[in-house]
Structures are given as structure tokens and as C-alpha cells.
Amino acid sequence: MRKKIIAANWKMNMLVSEAEAFLHTFMHEIGGENSVEIVIVPPFTALSRVSEILGRDQKAKLGAQNMHGEKSGAFTGEVNAAMLRELYVRYVVLGHSERRTLFGETDEIVNHKVRAAIDAALRPIVCIGETLAERDAHQVEAVLRRQIEGSLHGVNARELAEIVIAYEPVWAIGTGRTATPQQAQEAHAFIRRTLSELWDAPTAEKVRIQYGGSVKPQNAAELMRENDIDGALVGGASLDPRGFADIVKAAAAL
Ligand code: 13P
């Protein structure tokens, strides 16, 4: 059984004071819930404080939204894996579609970051997903396969088992337009089949595949009930501590 993983991608939101208030309410709401893995992914500026609040046992784990693939050097404005590790970050989101489209990240760049993250014992959450134009042109499978091959090049089976893949159809992000459970399941099943082909079936069975794109308390359960949907990467709805707790509870109740 794959343990469900629910992550709050706060994107460019949340002052430190707001993060503190969020955690106060959220931790209270989820109580002793531990059947689901929870990851809080704040902006860099709030990582340190959120890390302190979550403490060493990290009932909710800490994630970062991005990192650079090099170990150090003249890369103004960037942070490396060791800087994240120092703050007890466990997960790092790589290749989010906003990074791909707004900041020019290619599969090759994402792949370099994936390698650096694994080598630093950070677990990558690798985002893939098609645009609306690609879906309309019936290219979903080709796009997903290309992104998997490109972003995960050189990863071995043992490493793959630790990676989380987030299927985030670009047309569903921040639009209020969610993929139907059937559309999402189809894509997730295709992703798992592709992993099985490129690596092996037992490893593919272990990889957790999150869905992301307008996930809300109202639609979380029907999405996560699908066989190959192992959790959610939540943007907008993760800014509300009660709403995000409801999504976690929906996953726990499945
Ligand atoms: P929304 O939940 O706001 O659509 O964002 C999804 C996302 O991009 C999570 O990484």
C-alpha cells in the first residue's frame, strides 16, 4: 500500500507571521492524524521558521519549492540542496509548470536538479503535465513520456522508488477547472505504466503519484479514491488551514 502524500504548495504567498498562524490552526485541526504523509512547502523566507515550529519529528514534513542543481558558486538569487538540508527540508518540488513556463526550466535543467536533490538525500517531487493545447492535440501521453524520460534520466530503480511524481495538468492549475477523476486516473495509470516500462513493475508500484490542479476539500476525496492517485499537491486551497486540513482528513478517510 502506498501511503498517501498531501502537500501544501504555498507558492509566492505567506509571510512568516502568516505561516505561524496557519500552522497553529492546521496542527490543531489535524490532531494526531498520521495515516497520511503531510508536506508543507513554504516560500524560502519562511522555511526556517516553519522548520522550527514543525520540530525535529516533523509530524508534517518540510518541503521547498525549488533549488539550484549546482553545489555552490556564483548563482545570485539561488539556493542549493545543502542549504535546504540544513533547515531539515525533506522534499523539494522540482519542475513545477510555473518554473517551466515562467522561468524557462527544461527537462534537462529539472534532471540536473533531481540528481543534485537525490545526492543530498532530499526527496524530489517532480511535476509533469500537459497544457490545454497539448491535450486538445491528443499529445498528453507523448508529453508525459517525454517529461518522465527527460526529468528522470539516469535515476536508478532504488532512487525512483523514493521520488514523488506530481501530475499537474497546466490547464487545471489555478483555474478552478479540475481534471475529472477519470481524466486524472487515466493520466496517472499511463505514468505508472511508463515507469514500469522504463524501470520495472515492482518499482513503478512503489512510486507515489500526486494529482495537482484546483484540488479543494470538495473534490479531494473523489480524486484520491482512484487507484493510481496517491495524494495531492495543493496550491490555492492550501493557504487556508481548515480547508487544507479537510483535504488531509479526506485522504485519511479513504
Ligand atoms: P492550484 O491548487 O492553485 O490549482 O495549484 C496547483 C499547483 O500548482 C500545486 O503545485
Side-chain angles (χ1 to χ4, degrees), residues 9 11 96 98 168 172-174 213-215 233-236:
N9 177 9
K11 306 191 180 184
H96 191 281
E98 286 147 20
E168 298 207 312
I173 296 178
S214 298
V215 174
L233 181 55
V234 188

Side-chain angles (χ1 to χ4, degrees), residues 53-68:
I53 295 171
L54 296 180
R56 291 297 174 85
D57 62 332
Q58 293 198 1
K59 200 166 84 178
K61 299 198 175 93
L62 188 59
Q65 296 179 16
N66 181 32
M67 60 170 241
H68 197 275

